Amino acid sequence: MRIFVAEDDNMLADGLSRSLRQAGYAVDLAKTGSDADAALEREDYSLVILDIGLPGIDGFEVLRRLRKRKYYVPVLVLTARDELDDRVRGLDLGADDYLVKPFALPELKARIRALLRRGQAGKKPRLVHGDLTLDTVGRRVWVKGRSFGLTVREWNILEFLLMNSGKVVSKEDIVEALCGWDDELSLNAIEVYVSRLRSKLEDAGAGAKIRTVRGFGYLLEDADEGGKE
Ligand code: CA
């Protein structure tokens, strides 16, 4: 999942993006209102964290423009001032939640999970293939009901393959889904992660396997389906 953060306070912005990346999200960061506005016009995110006090265009205006474009991504507003007016105005403009600074990171993460869960309400928070079940909000995975250990990268790749079940995804698609602007992940690295993930699925008897489609990418299919690697 990809999260967009608009925050001009360097220390807070860096701390936030580091902590969200450690939690397994891809994070893009903007430090001015106009950069945030441009990015939100251009790209798709699962969630937006928006500081109100941004230089140039403020967070209220970024939010107003975002909603005017009928873009209904969940937005969590950060406000420095504990002023009721700011909170009310943010919610009136279409924010889904707010936090008053300073806030504790665990609280922010809990709010993020709640918003993502709500945002997924119409969609399936659990993805299933064979004996494999993946909880996209709680970020856990099971094989035949038993919890199954994956690294953050492996988990993210598996989530992407499950979301695109039945379709061939290219390595470039995977890089785009997994990386924020500042992350770098080579196509070779994707091959390594996929091959490790493939062995883990095989060892666990997940009932799903990753097929390499030469020259195109990868396809998640039932383990008993034919097709040579
Ligand atoms: Ca600020």
Side-chain angles (χ1 to χ4, degrees), residues 67-107:
R67 292 310 188 207
K68 205 175 156 206
R69 291 191 293 267
K70 311 263 183 249
Y71 184 16
Y72 293 115
V73 59
V75 175
L76 174 74
V77 158
L78 302 181
T79 163
R81 293 150 289 184
D82 189 7
E83 284 177 10
L84 188 62
D85 281 359
D86 274 7
R87 284 179 269 161
V88 170
R89 192 168 165 211
L91 294 171
D92 278 348
L93 283 170
D96 298 276
D97 200 358
Y98 65 84
L99 263 181
V100 177
K101 294 187 215 173
F103 51 83
L105 275 175
E107 157 126 49

Side-chain angles (χ1 to χ4, degrees), residues 6-9 12 51-55 78 80 101:
E7 170 60 68
D8 63 316
D9 177 317
L12 181 56
D51 179 31
I52 290 302
L54 290 172
L78 302 181
K101 294 187 215 173

